[in-house]
Amino acid sequence: MRKTENSEQPAPSVRMFQIDTEQAGQRLDNFLVRTCKGVPKSHLYKAIRSGQVRVNKGRTSADYRLRQGDLVRVPPLRLPAPNEARPVPPAAFPVVYEDDALLVVNKPAGVAVHGGSGVSFGVIEQLRAARPQSMLELAHRLDRETSGLLMIAKKRSSLVALHDMLREGKGRKHYLALVKGDWVNDRQHLRAPLLKWLTASGERRVKVDPAGKPAHTIITLQKRFGEYSLLDAELRTGRTHQIRVHLAAAGYPIVGDDKYGSDEVRAQFARMGLNRMFLHAHRLEIPHPLTGDMLRLQADLPDACRGILACLEQS
């Protein structure tokens, strides 16, 4: 990577970075976090959204994956004042699998996977704080209120391989979701294009729209609970909020979903002790990014979700 200034110092002018083989494959936001050390993530995301950060002279999104030869424009960015900077508290999360190339943890609900959009830090920042000598990069995302299996690469080669496999549909990611409604079919394919949009307050949303990107979710009925159903949702593509929007658009919103579900249902389940969205990444089948051996990993439903199912069984 060629750069014009030391990335750890406040930049008095625009900087240009040319991406080499080591940086290729990273998301733009992750690249900026490492390049602009000390700059708050909120500043970085704002610079991307406003078009101040550009790739090959054009606007792009935070999740754009950099390619070798890309030219990244980084505007002057303000470092926080000393009293603004808050250290990230290190944290350990339940480890489901780990070797020298891959770490898979069981993420709790309510914890973001990374900082930004009003969140100072997330799982990845806390893991880096706990393991300062390790290279750690998110291989994929989970929504803040979604619990379950989260893959983190420990080598650049494994990160690139995981991205390639997920993009090519070689892995199987299964989620458990409790939805409002009596699901009809034992197995059903949901195919509807999804488009991102922003509310008037600037909050990100996703909707079914012909102009959106193709998205495919396979739903398998697990159990009926009268007017509620427990479903297995298999992601065949990895769009933002995909399971949540596909199910809501089909008329079966996820219990506890504060963006696409019912406030009344959410309040009802909160009184029953569920103060989260009932969506859990419970099973993962994917070739190991370096050896190719098939990994079959599972994270059981959290206690709060199991308690809700027990209540529904008795009602």
Side-chain angles (χ1 to χ4, degrees):
M1 176 180 67
R2 187 174 70 243
K3 61 181 183 179
T4 61
E5 306 213 17
N6 186 328
S7 61
E8 296 190 23
Q9 300 300 321
S13 60
V14 168
R15 293 176 294 168
M16 304 299 293
F17 297 84
Q18 189 163 30
I19 302 303
D20 61 20
T21 54
E22 285 298 311
Q23 285 74 43
Q26 291 187 70
R27 282 173 50 122
L28 176 61
D29 53 358
N30 288 338
F31 170 78
L32 291 174
V33 166
R34 292 188 174 276
T35 303
C36 308
K37 293 180 180 178
V39 176
K41 283 196 170 183
S42 58
H43 295 189
L44 298 177
Y45 282 100
K46 183 177 180 180
I48 296 170
R49 289 194 301 269
S50 64
Q52 296 179 70
V53 173
R54 292 181 176 251
V55 178
N56 301 325
K57 299 183 179 181
R59 287 175 175 255
T60 189
S61 59
D63 59 0
Y64 171 78
R65 296 204 178 275
L66 296 167
R67 302 174 183 175
Q68 185 177 356
D70 278 351
L71 194 63
V72 181
R73 175 194 187 275
V74 179
L77 294 165
R78 181 180 69 86
L79 285 169
N83 61 354
E84 287 184 290
R86 290 184 298 173
V88 175
F93 298 90
V95 174
V96 178
Y97 175 89
E98 184 172 13
D99 60 17
D100 61 351
L102 177 65
L103 170 66
V104 182
V105 300
N106 186 359
K107 184 189 87 66
V111 180
V113 296
H114 61 80
S117 300
V119 179
S120 299
F121 55 83
V123 171
I124 191 64
E125 289 86 7
Q126 293 191 280
L127 284 173
R128 287 170 181 162
R131 303 177 180 213
Q133 305 306 316
S134 301
M135 178 227 145
L136 299 171
E137 295 283 356
L138 289 167
H140 65 118
R141 265 61 176 169
L142 291 178
D143 292 340
R144 183 174 182 176
E145 292 306 318
T146 302
S147 55
L149 297 170
L150 178 68
M151 293 188 290
I152 295 143
K154 297 173 65 176
K155 291 183 176 180
R156 180 67 54 194
S157 54
S158 61
L159 178 66
V160 172
L162 287 167
H163 285 166
D164 288 344
M165 285 189 288
L166 292 174
R167 184 170 56 251
E168 295 165 8
K170 291 182 179 177
R172 296 287 187 269
K173 292 192 293 181
H174 291 260
Y175 295 68
L176 288 174
L178 182 68
V179 301
K180 177 74 165 68
D182 185 4
W183 189 265
V184 177
N185 300 319
D186 288 343
R187 186 174 171 87
Q188 184 173 340
H189 292 255
L190 300 180
R191 293 184 176 90
L194 299 179
L195 181 69
K196 294 180 185 178
W197 61 287
L198 293 177
T199 65
S201 62
E203 192 174 358
R204 181 178 62 176
R205 289 284 194 276
V206 178
K207 61 182 177 181
V208 171
D209 191 290
K213 294 181 179 180
H216 180 192
T217 309
I218 303 173
I219 302 297
T220 305
L221 177 65
Q222 299 297 294
K223 193 166 187 177
R224 291 189 173 94
F225 298 90
E227 57 181 329
Y228 297 96
S229 304
L230 181 66
L231 308 176
D232 175 284
E234 179 187 346
L235 283 178
R236 303 306 298 135
T237 54
R239 309 303 180 200
T240 300
H241 297 173
Q242 178 175 319
I243 296 172
R244 300 164 68 178
V245 178
H246 270 176
L247 287 172
Y252 298 85
I254 297 176
V255 166
D257 191 337
D258 64 349
K259 287 184 170 63
Y260 309 102
S262 160
D263 291 341
E264 181 181 354
V265 170
R266 187 166 66 254
Q268 172 191 340
F269 277 83
R271 290 191 293 270
M272 296 167 62
L274 186 73
N275 294 299
R276 54 161 293 182
M277 177 172 63
F278 198 124
L279 182 61
H280 177 71
H282 79 111
R283 187 154 53 91
L284 174 67
E285 299 176 6
I286 195 167
H288 188 279
L290 300 187
T291 68
D293 295 337
M294 184 59 71
L295 297 176
R296 294 180 175 86
L297 308 174
Q298 184 167 318
D300 293 336
L301 272 175
D303 290 343
C305 294
R306 290 203 302 270
I308 287 298
L309 296 183
C311 288
L312 293 177
E313 284 269 23
Q314 297 167 8
S315 62

